[in-house]
Amino acid sequence: MTMPTTTELRRHTFAPAGDRPRVPRVNLPTTDERPAPRSAPVPVPVPAPASRTLVDRVRDLQGPQSGGWALVPLGGQLFDVVITVGGEMGSRVITMMDEIECDDRGAGEPACGPVIEDPDHGWLFWLVPPGTSERWQPHGDAACLGQPHVLSLPPLSRTRPPGVFWRRRLRGDRLVSPAPLYDLFDRASGPGRNASR
């Protein structure tokens, strides 16, 4: 499976048709397009006190009118997203990230930060710290997006298919560590595969 092109990413809203929230469609700009006029609807995060966790802030954005889905701006104070291939390679990397990011939660509890899976398109969406997209090096199996892009998050309770679901739940303020994620996809790609570095 190959990474989606920029055009495919621009056209994909990251939610299956039947599960899409009732929000305005936001097209991802290309370098040859002018920014949308100020009158275009743009989702704005709700300011939250510093004591609230990332899960609390996402829950605030997921209202009942959208069926629990939330259209979330990337970057800012929330997160960026790394988009990778899923399938066997993605599953191996999730397992390795569980081992790397293990913590005191107890045996058997997955420790990897939040990962969303879109099984229909074969993609994984890894939530990483904001600003990661500014430092992310080109990679053949992983693309990182931040501001001004948006991501449609599935309801926090959706942890199994069908459709887009949380492969690893959003917990507290925990995000995926980008450096080991990059290295693991580099190793999983095989020698010479990621020549874009």
Side-chain angles (χ1 to χ4, degrees):
M1 183 168 296
T2 60
M3 277 301 301
T5 65
T6 304
T7 303
E8 289 171 323
L9 287 173
R10 196 176 315 113
R11 291 182 185 149
H12 188 60
T13 62
F14 309 118
D19 294 332
R20 288 192 185 128
R22 302 264 185 231
V23 293
R25 181 178 286 256
V26 178
N27 291 321
L28 304 178
T30 63
T31 54
D32 59 326
E33 293 176 339
R34 285 186 244 158
R38 285 253 186 231
S39 62
V42 177
V44 178
V46 177
S51 63
R52 293 180 50 90
T53 67
L54 181 59
V55 172
D56 295 329
R57 290 182 281 163
V58 167
R59 193 174 287 122
D60 289 345
L61 296 170
Q62 292 181 321
Q65 68 277 10
S66 67
W69 288 86
L71 189 62
V72 178
L74 298 175
Q77 296 181 9
L78 295 176
F79 46 79
D80 285 354
V81 65
V82 173
I83 305 168
T84 67
V85 296
E88 186 179 326
M89 180 191 295
S91 293
R92 282 196 320 262
V93 173
I94 287 174
T95 300
M96 290 186 276
M97 287 298 290
D98 282 339
E99 294 170 12
I100 291 170
E101 296 189 340
C102 64
D103 60 12
D104 299 328
R105 259 192 284 279
E109 180 75 22
C112 180
V115 181
I116 299 168
E117 183 169 354
D118 180 349
D120 296 335
H121 293 93
W123 296 346
L124 293 175
F125 303 87
W126 308 74
L127 305 188
V128 295
T132 300
S133 62
E134 298 165 11
R135 297 179 301 278
W136 190 264
Q137 295 297 312
H139 193 288
D141 291 315
C144 188
L145 299 177
Q147 288 180 333
H149 304 290
V150 298
L151 179 67
S152 186
L153 299 179
L156 292 172
S157 61
R158 182 178 266 181
T159 57
R160 301 206 186 289
V164 178
F165 67 100
W166 292 93
R167 177 81 180 260
R168 290 293 182 266
R169 292 180 300 115
L170 184 62
R171 298 181 303 260
D173 286 324
R174 187 179 191 86
L175 293 169
V176 175
S177 301
L181 178 66
Y182 187 97
D183 291 341
L184 289 172
F185 269 99
D186 220 21
R187 286 192 300 184
S189 297
R193 176 120 185 252
N194 187 28
S196 60
R197 224 194 229 200

